[in-house]
Amino acid sequence: MEESQNQRRMEPPKIQRLSESVVNRIAAGEVIQRPVSAVKELVENSLDAASSSVSLLIKDGGLKLIQVSDDGHGIRFEDLPILCERHTTSKLSSFEDLQRIKSMGFRGEALASMTYVAHVTVTTITKPQLHGYRVSYRDGVMEHQPRPCAAVKGTQIMVENLFYNMAARRKTLQNSSDDYSKIVDLVSRFAIHHINVSFSCRKHGAVRADVHTVAMSSRLDAIKSVYGVSVARNLIEIEASDNDPSTSVFEMHGYMSNANYAAKKITMVLFINDRLVECSALKRAIEIVYAATLPKASKPFIYISIVLPPENIDVNVHPTKREVSLLNQEVIIEKIQSVVESTLRSSNEARTFQEQSAGQSSSPRINTSKEVNLSPMPTGSRLLKVPVHKLVRTDSLDPAGRLHAYTQIMSDRHLEKSASLNAIRSSVRQRRNPKDSLELTSVQELLDKINSNCDPGMTDIIRHCTYVGMADDVFALLQHNTRLYLANVVNLSKELMYQQVLSRFGHFNAIQLNDPVPLKDLIILALKEEDIDSECNDDDSLKEKIAEVISHWF
Ligand SMILES: Nc1ncnc2c1ncn2[C@@H]1O[C@H](COP(=O)(O)OP(=O)(O)OP(=O)(O)O)[C@@H](O)[C@H]1O
Ligand SMILES: [Mg+2]
């Protein structure tokens, strides 16, 4: 009995054909992995339809509603019945077309996938039509005949109740709060590349859009508008190209952050032949350059657009079209890496520090609403979030050593007052150090010797360093540009006192000693000095007596 059961267990399981609906739902789950994947497909469809404006409305992180409206060429009435069937597309007819495809879509799968995991409603109007049509889809087919409706130019697609039939996925996504920020991040990336298209992305119920761009004249303006001034002002333009078929053929244009920019996470926006893609090898290559050149915590912002002949790129390598494969990828990456490296090196030599101040107009606003966390600004642009007690003084030239001087807005009156205070201070300093009155040639010689021996590099470090703190009892940590130095404070103080004594020689102020020296001792000392000068040698007891008598007089 047991033996026959075992035998049955050894039999291979029967292979059966899956029903079409199961196949479609499995495929759909692969194409639409989370709300942001549906948004990417819809925005790409709008861009493929030659739109000049794309607006998004998102409810509940995209699970309740994703609505994308564009002003593109619309969808023909006759195509509506097969619009959401799998493998129906207007962008490709033969496999060879894939080799020179310019559109982002080509599989005819995105809309179909959405109808297997959500409720999809399409409203569209084409140029010759007097009115639009609206139709809803489920599982790839129309739920009813297209209904005439009022419509503005273009297409509006609503995706509702995403993953309504995939309980496990819906559950995991419901608990995750960052889907809306992922959508905002995605739209921001499109917005800085397609600068002749206006984008807007708004949360349902919110008055303000989280991404809002109008067609821009320059890429830098677009970056400024989307990621903020603090990012844009720290960007350097980069270019690279190669036109040798034996190595690589490409053109690259972009913007990369300089040495002043610091963020905790890398932001890399990469477009290859106008496709928003990811390339982990290129990302790693760039991260290596930044990590080797800048302090560890600084991660870059980089926007790169690469254009290469369509036949040198395979767009059909990833189910969500997130990655592409390039001919001579290693060579292209190496060339881009070396351009980034040399640009960063030269920018690092001219590094400047930005003071943090609450009055800076360019700083992002402090917003108490939740939405501020969702904005795509990299950490580097959120300087105001640093707790006040952690702010560091970054300008060694400013005499005010207290932190609050940097965190409070200085009124004009305050500035005037401090300017006049500085003038008084410098005149007092001049009076104390009357350089012209230095008459002793021996002292002057010593000072000249110091000046001729001084090392200009070292002087610059001491003059422009930022004091970080004491490392131990003797060594202080100083920052100069991007380098950190340990300075022996005891030796530095000795040298400072020595040079002060020389330059103020003959003009010392009165020095009050903590324990006054007895007058009698001083007189004895003076008498002994006199002895040395006059070479006379009286005995010590006589000197002590004289000293006692004189000190009684005072
Ligand atoms: N916003 C839109 N405006 C005009 N036509 C659209 C729009 N969205 C979709 N279409 C039409 O619907 C077709 C199917 O779209 P779908 O996204 O499913 O496939 P695709 O874009 O051709 O390929 P892929 O699956 O790779 O995205 C498209 O080929 C296009 O003709
Ligand atoms: Mg598509």
Side-chain angles (χ1 to χ4, degrees):
M1 170 89 175
E2 217 171 78
E3 215 166 77
S4 72
Q5 254 182 358
N6 273 348
Q7 239 172 8
R8 220 179 300 144
R9 248 184 243 143
M10 295 301 286
E11 275 172 24
K14 187 170 178 273
I15 295 176
Q16 50 191 337
R17 197 176 297 280
L18 287 175
S19 76
E20 210 172 313
S21 73
V22 176
V23 172
N24 288 335
R25 219 195 286 175
I26 290 174
E30 234 172 66
V31 176
I32 309 297
Q33 294 172 348
R34 46 193 316 152
V36 71
S37 4
V39 172
K40 182 166 184 273
E41 295 295 345
L42 294 172
V43 172
E44 287 186 343
N45 278 349
S46 296
L47 293 169
D48 282 345
S51 306
S52 61
S53 155
V54 181
S55 312
L56 293 94
L57 180 67
I58 310 293
K59 195 173 179 180
D60 203 4
L63 286 181
K64 268 253 153 61
L65 170 74
I66 298 169
Q67 180 183 297
V68 178
S69 316
D70 66 51
D71 62 351
H73 54 52
I75 302 163
R76 289 151 28 112
F77 172 74
E78 310 84 88
D79 291 341
L80 289 175
I82 59 159
L83 175 71
C84 293
E85 269 178 29
R86 281 188 79 193
H87 314 308
T88 56
T89 177
S90 61
K91 302 169 190 175
L92 186 86
S93 48
S94 72
F95 187 75
E96 287 66 44
D97 291 349
L98 253 187
Q99 290 211 331
R100 36 180 188 274
I101 194 127
K102 291 237 166 76
S103 59
M104 280 165 261
F106 53 83
R107 306 158 308 178
E109 234 181 325
L111 284 183
S113 300
M114 282 175 227
T115 66
Y116 286 100
V117 293
H119 303 134
V120 176
T121 303
V122 177
T123 308
T124 187
I125 183 169
T126 53
K127 221 173 181 185
Q129 287 170 342
L130 295 176
H131 58 79
Y133 287 97
R134 179 171 299 150
V135 55
S136 296
Y137 295 84
R138 198 164 306 183
D139 296 338
V141 292
M142 291 199 294
E143 286 192 299
H144 53 81
Q145 282 304 308
R147 294 184 186 130
C149 66
V152 287
K153 183 177 182 247
T155 303
Q156 182 186 74
I157 299 188
M158 285 202 297
V159 177
E160 290 169 284
N161 303 321
L162 190 57
F163 304 126
Y164 72 98
N165 50 2
M166 297 171 90
R169 191 170 303 187
R170 200 175 165 88
K171 228 180 203 164
T172 48
L173 288 171
Q174 251 164 357
N175 295 334
S176 111
S177 58
D178 63 352
D179 271 289
Y180 182 66
S181 58
K182 282 195 163 73
I183 293 171
V184 169
D185 179 61
L186 177 86
V187 180
S188 306
R189 287 163 190 257
F190 276 118
I192 64 165
H193 182 73
H194 295 275
I195 55 173
N196 45 0
V197 179
S198 316
F199 284 89
S200 100
C201 177
R202 189 164 59 85
K203 209 183 214 178
H204 185 266
V207 184
R208 208 173 51 88
D210 292 290
V211 182
H212 183 78
T213 61
V214 284
M216 301 275 174
S217 54
S218 87
R219 176 105 44 229
L220 208 55
D221 284 342
I223 296 175
K224 202 186 290 173
S225 140
V226 175
Y227 288 93
V229 194
S230 49
V231 175
R233 75 160 166 241
N234 284 322
L235 294 183
I236 318 167
E237 200 167 357
I238 40 168
E239 271 174 350
S241 63
D242 193 8
N243 200 14
D244 180 357
S246 66
T247 54
S248 60
V249 181
F250 76 97
E251 267 180 29
M252 183 279 279
H253 179 258
Y255 285 92
M256 57 174 265
S257 55
N258 60 20
N260 293 324
Y261 179 84
K264 282 190 186 144
K265 244 176 79 185
I266 178 171
T267 305
M268 176 160 159
V269 183
L270 173 64
F271 280 82
I272 300 183
N273 281 10
D274 291 329
R275 280 165 206 286
L276 177 60
V277 288
E278 280 169 21
C279 177
S280 41
L282 180 59
K283 193 174 179 182
R284 220 173 309 121
I286 287 167
E287 267 184 315
I288 288 170
V289 169
Y290 274 86
T293 321
L294 298 185
K296 261 216 160 106
S298 324
K299 293 279 193 290
F301 173 98
I302 186 153
Y303 158 83
I304 290 179
S305 168
I306 303 173
V307 178
L308 27 82
E311 61 274 16
N312 289 3
I313 167 173
D314 187 354
V315 294
N316 186 30
V317 292
H318 196 274
T320 64
K321 301 179 279 185
R322 201 171 53 195
E323 281 170 25
V324 291
S325 137
L326 311 180
L327 189 70
N328 300 321
Q329 182 162 305
E330 286 78 35
V331 185
I332 296 176
I333 290 177
E334 223 177 278
K335 290 207 164 131
I336 294 175
Q337 189 187 31
S338 79
V339 169
V340 169
E341 188 171 10
S342 60
T343 313
L344 188 63
R345 284 251 167 94
S346 49
S347 107
N348 198 22
E349 277 162 21
R351 193 166 186 209
T352 57
F353 288 94
Q354 289 286 326
E355 280 177 23
Q356 295 168 357
S357 128
Q360 261 177 3
S361 58
S362 57
S363 306
R365 283 159 287 132
I366 296 181
N367 196 334
T368 47
S369 86
K370 268 195 210 158
E371 276 154 29
V372 81
N373 295 332
L374 303 166
S375 88
M377 300 228 183
T379 336
S381 63
R382 291 188 193 152
L383 291 174
L384 281 180
K385 291 208 162 167
V386 178
V388 174
H389 68 278
K390 284 195 177 163
L391 291 178
V392 174
R393 183 160 71 114
T394 55
D395 188 352
S396 60
L397 297 177
D398 199 309
R402 287 156 305 162
L403 270 180
H404 63 72
Y406 293 87
T407 54
Q408 283 168 8
I409 311 156
M410 285 198 193
S411 68
D412 286 353
R413 251 188 63 219
H414 188 109
L415 286 173
E416 265 169 36
K417 224 168 106 188
S418 72
S420 64
L421 244 172
N422 281 343
I424 293 168
R425 270 188 197 144
S426 76
S427 77
V428 169
R429 242 177 255 144
Q430 257 176 8
R431 230 182 311 133
R432 281 188 189 158
N433 299 324
K435 285 189 183 129
D436 304 338
S437 62
L438 202 63
E439 283 155 9
L440 292 170
T441 49
S442 55
V443 176
Q444 189 56 57
E445 274 166 18
L446 284 172
L447 273 171
D448 289 345
K449 201 173 154 196
I450 288 172
N451 285 339
S452 62
N453 282 346
C454 88
D455 181 306
M458 201 82 98
T459 315
D460 182 63
I461 292 172
I462 298 289
R463 196 168 281 167
H464 297 116
C465 69
T466 302
Y467 170 73
V468 180
M470 287 303 289
D472 61 15
D473 288 347
V474 177
F475 287 97
L477 198 58
L478 306 177
Q479 183 177 358
H480 181 256
N481 292 344
T482 52
R483 285 158 196 259
L484 283 175
Y485 294 91
L486 279 174
N488 186 320
V489 178
V490 178
N491 288 350
L492 262 184
S493 310
K494 276 186 192 164
E495 188 59 32
L496 174 75
M497 292 313 290
Y498 174 61
Q499 293 191 19
Q500 289 260 17
V501 166
L502 284 186
S503 54
R504 289 191 191 179
F505 200 84
H507 298 278
F508 295 122
N509 297 323
I511 300 171
Q512 192 161 10
L513 299 174
N514 245 356
D515 296 320
V517 185
L519 193 59
K520 196 178 142 193
D521 294 358
L522 284 175
I523 295 167
I524 293 173
L525 206 71
L527 289 171
K528 280 186 179 168
E529 289 266 310
E530 224 165 61
D531 278 355
I532 297 164
D533 287 351
S534 63
E535 285 174 14
C536 129
N537 225 348
D538 280 338
D539 74 41
D540 282 357
S541 61
L542 180 63
K543 277 176 207 143
E544 277 199 16
K545 269 185 195 157
I546 298 171
E548 210 161 304
V549 174
I550 297 175
S551 57
H552 274 302
W553 290 347
F554 292 95

